Amino acid sequence: MAKTKVAVLFGGQSKDYSVSLKSAYAVINTLAKLNYDVIPIGITRVGRWLYYPGNYDAIADGSWENDSDCCPAVISPDAVHHGIIKLIDKCEMALQRVDVIFSVIYGRFGECGRIQGLCKLAGIPFLGSNLEASSTALDKAMTHLLLDEAGVKTIKYFCVERSDMPFIDEIIEKRDKELEYPLSVKASSCSSSIGSNIAFDKNELKAALKIAFSHHHKAVVENAVTGRNLCCCVYENEGLVTVSSIGETVPVESSIDKLNNYIGKTSKFVASTDLSPELSEQIKNTSKRIFRLMDCQGYALIDFLLKDEELYCTKISTIPGFNEESALPSLLEFDGLSYSDILEIMLNNALESKA
């Protein structure tokens, strides 16, 4: 029986490049051990697509793109091709048929729907949500609008467009009584860590908005609420929508390195076992509702903030981290699934639902 051919897309032009490499390394190594025919396709920081046939360790350390055996490769939008076109040299091309595409490219060039739309054009099944759900989930402003309209509580916010900057003083004055400092300022359609800052006064708010606008034309300003950051995974398995256990990132004691000149705070991801049955049920039911409301497919990571017994949805990730220590694999491992089990469930679902 022929092996299932899985093209794993990694890298990309966003600042989440290194995070993507970690996910790709874990995914590719595991799929190879499971006897899949893995086709690694890396995208460099400048946007060059390359087929990478070399040692997988070079993906982990970032040196993969310097391999002389790399060759340009792209997903063909021609549905008859159903695969990847490799440019062997200036005069020779080769078509590599692909059964399914597994993208671990993060940020606005990977989670925004562009890759998913290309896969749809090509007629190739892919893991995760479609173009519409992916782009909506990455857009923080749109997510706020949809969840608020559906009655799902989110943190108090307002949006600012880059074109509003000449009038920013008036806008801040108008909103001043609605929100309380400190405020969290985020670029709307980027990863949470990109273009995000905390502002403690009006001047810092204006500076933070300028930084956010360097990444996207729209910014979201929220109350910087602190509390417990909880999350769970909603995923499809054999036609059923399943919700994982609930987990959270907790701090670990600070540590001093061997030279005694650096203090580093570390954290770890753990199961949230102290939640009341009622709160756990609320989180799981709300997560499943959000998954359906956003029209997600395959899997999604739903993040919440718990503050004074109030629960706020803060983020929906349609392409979560996939290294073995990431939240999604950790949550499903709490439920008794191995990392290999998780990848096979996701792959089988993609092949069946998008066939």
Side-chain angles (χ1 to χ4, degrees):
M1 183 176 179
K3 294 181 181 180
T4 300
K5 293 179 171 58
V6 185
V8 178
L9 307 186
F10 63 92
Q13 293 175 268
S14 84
K15 292 187 178 180
D16 297 298
Y17 177 87
S18 59
V19 179
S20 176
L21 298 191
K22 290 179 182 178
S23 290
Y25 179 71
V27 167
I28 289 170
N29 269 301
T30 303
L31 292 181
K33 291 174 184 175
L34 292 172
N35 209 32
Y36 287 90
D37 186 356
V38 183
I39 305 163
I41 304 291
I43 302 175
T44 69
R45 286 185 174 91
V46 296
R48 193 177 186 209
W49 288 53
L50 298 171
Y51 164 65
Y52 173 67
N55 190 297
Y56 299 152
D57 290 341
I59 295 175
D61 66 25
S63 62
W64 68 274
E65 63 184 87
N66 299 319
D67 193 305
S68 60
D69 289 329
C70 284
C71 68
V74 294
I75 299 172
S76 171
D78 189 329
V80 174
H81 290 164
H82 206 274
I84 305 291
I85 295 176
K86 300 176 186 175
L87 183 61
I88 308 302
D89 58 37
K90 292 182 180 180
C91 301
E92 183 181 355
M93 292 189 297
L95 178 65
Q96 170 74 69
R97 191 170 177 83
V98 169
D99 295 310
V100 62
I101 290 176
F102 193 156
S103 174
V104 288
I105 299 174
Y106 304 114
R108 59 177 177 165
F109 295 111
E111 296 175 72
C112 62
R114 291 178 174 93
I115 298 278
Q116 295 81 353
L118 178 56
C119 292
K120 199 73 174 177
L121 275 176
I124 305 173
F126 55 95
L127 277 72
S129 294
N130 58 23
L131 184 158
E132 294 82 5
S134 300
S135 60
T136 301
L138 187 64
D139 188 329
K140 299 174 184 65
M142 185 60 70
T143 298
H144 265 295
L145 285 170
L146 284 175
L147 295 185
D148 289 350
E149 182 67 24
V152 177
K153 186 172 288 188
T154 64
I155 294 169
K156 200 167 186 179
Y157 79 104
F158 69 91
C159 293
V160 185
E161 295 276 350
R162 187 185 289 138
S163 58
D164 293 328
M165 282 305 288
F167 321 103
I168 195 62
D169 288 322
E170 294 92 330
I171 292 170
I172 291 174
E173 192 67 33
K174 182 179 178 181
R175 298 283 186 176
D176 198 41
K177 295 178 181 179
E178 299 178 24
L179 299 169
E180 297 179 359
Y181 291 97
L183 296 173
S184 173
V185 183
K186 306 171 183 176
S188 188
S189 288
C190 297
S191 300
S192 296
S193 60
I194 307 301
S196 298
N197 282 282
I198 300 294
F200 290 88
D201 57 38
K202 294 178 183 180
N203 289 331
E204 289 188 2
L205 175 54
K206 288 193 284 186
L209 285 169
K210 288 179 182 178
I211 293 171
F213 291 142
S214 69
H215 297 279
H216 194 259
H217 68 87
K218 187 165 50 179
V220 173
V221 182
E222 299 174 334
N223 281 338
V225 181
T226 58
R228 292 179 66 178
N229 295 298
L230 308 171
C231 69
C232 62
C233 175
V234 184
Y235 64 101
E236 295 174 318
N237 185 12
E238 297 182 348
L240 299 176
V241 176
T242 304
V243 185
S244 72
S245 294
I246 301 164
E248 62 186 303
T249 301
V250 298
V252 179
E253 285 186 21
S254 298
S255 59
I256 303 176
D257 72 1
K258 61 184 179 181
L259 296 177
N260 294 319
N261 62 1
Y262 177 80
I263 298 176
K265 292 184 177 179
T266 57
S267 60
K268 63 179 179 179
F269 191 81
V270 299
S272 304
T273 57
D274 63 332
L275 303 176
S276 69
E278 295 79 13
L279 181 56
S280 296
E281 191 69 14
Q282 179 188 354
I283 291 171
K284 291 186 177 185
N285 288 341
T286 304
S287 296
K288 186 181 287 189
R289 184 175 171 224
I290 290 169
F291 187 86
R292 288 173 169 155
L293 174 70
M294 302 292 286
D295 197 24
C296 295
Q297 295 174 310
Y299 48 81
L301 196 67
I302 317 292
D303 284 47
F304 295 91
L305 187 139
L306 181 64
K307 171 73 171 180
D308 299 330
E309 303 306 314
E310 291 287 344
L311 190 67
Y312 305 88
C313 180
T314 56
K315 188 171 65 171
I316 302 152
S317 302
T318 55
I319 305 184
F322 262 98
N323 73 69
E324 295 185 39
E325 296 178 355
S326 298
L328 185 151
S330 297
L331 288 167
L332 272 61
E333 285 171 7
F334 295 156
D335 295 337
L337 295 172
S338 70
Y339 186 72
S340 297
D341 293 335
I342 295 164
L343 295 188
E344 295 220 87
I345 287 171
M346 305 309 183
L347 280 167
N348 289 335
N349 180 70
L351 287 164
E352 291 169 8
S353 65
K354 297 186 174 76

